């Protein structure tokens, strides 16, 4: 995964985790992911991106992610990994699920993601 892909993935994961406010468990999962990807700088960038204006962070993230060049299969993988991470924290709220599906629709991979989640 290159630097831009790491930024996109960590922004995606961060924006979903912060949908209802970031708790300690979610922060630990983000830090664990950043460590596994050697992407602490990219995580800091993603969290600063969200902190710039928290109220419109999701819409800004959608705009940013729409412009990032990522292969279709990798988009599906990123979204599926975020979905699984939500389950790892113990739950996924309806709003988080809808947000992930909205991003999947933006990326035109909604049906593929749904198939992978079900499978």
């Amino acid at each position: 995964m290159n630097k831009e892909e790491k930024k996109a993935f960590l922004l995606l994961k961060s924006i979903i985790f912060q949908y209802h406010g970031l708790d300690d468990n979610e922060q630990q999962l983000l830090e664990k992911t950043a460590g596994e990807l050697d992407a602490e700088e990219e995580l800091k960038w993603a969290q600063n991106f969200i902190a710039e204006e928290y109220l419109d962070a999701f819409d800004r993230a959608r705009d940013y992610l729409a412009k990032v060049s990522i292969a279709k299969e990798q988009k599906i993988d990123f979204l599926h990994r975020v979905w699984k991470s939500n389950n790892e924290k113990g739950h996924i709220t309806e709003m988080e699920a809808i947000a992930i599906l909205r991003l999947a629709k933006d990326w035109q991979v909604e049906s593929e993601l749904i198939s992978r989640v079900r499978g």
Side-chain angles (χ1 to χ4, degrees), residues 35-72:
E36 290 168 351
L37 297 175
D38 190 27
E40 290 81 5
E41 182 180 314
E42 290 83 357
L43 176 59
K44 185 175 180 177
W45 173 87
Q47 291 183 325
N48 287 336
F49 179 98
I50 293 166
E52 282 177 30
E53 182 55 55
Y54 182 77
L55 295 177
D56 74 349
F58 183 74
D59 291 327
R60 287 185 302 106
R62 286 178 69 195
D63 290 341
Y64 176 85
L65 292 168
K67 296 172 186 167
V68 175
S69 179
I70 301 172
K72 182 178 181 176

Side-chain angles (χ1 to χ4, degrees), residues 62-113:
R62 286 178 69 195
D63 290 341
Y64 176 85
L65 292 168
K67 296 172 186 167
V68 175
S69 179
I70 301 172
K72 182 178 181 176
E73 189 56 39
Q74 190 157 26
K75 291 176 182 179
I76 298 164
D77 181 60
F78 283 1
L79 290 162
H80 188 241
R81 288 169 64 184
V82 171
W83 187 280
K84 288 184 348 186
S85 291
N86 271 281
N87 287 328
E88 192 176 320
K89 69 178 182 161
H91 65 282
I92 183 167
T93 68
E94 181 178 352
M95 290 180 73
E96 290 166 333
I98 290 169
I100 293 170
L101 291 172
R102 185 175 295 151
L103 290 162
K105 187 174 183 177
D106 289 350
W107 276 349
Q108 300 176 337
V109 296
E110 190 174 17
S111 62
E112 293 93 333
L113 175 63

Side-chain angles (χ1 to χ4, degrees), residues 12-19 58 82 86 96 99-100 103:
L12 174 65
K13 191 168 186 173
S14 295
I15 200 70
I16 296 302
F17 275 13
Q18 293 192 38
Y19 210 81
F58 183 74
V82 171
N86 271 281
E96 290 166 333
I100 293 170
L103 290 162

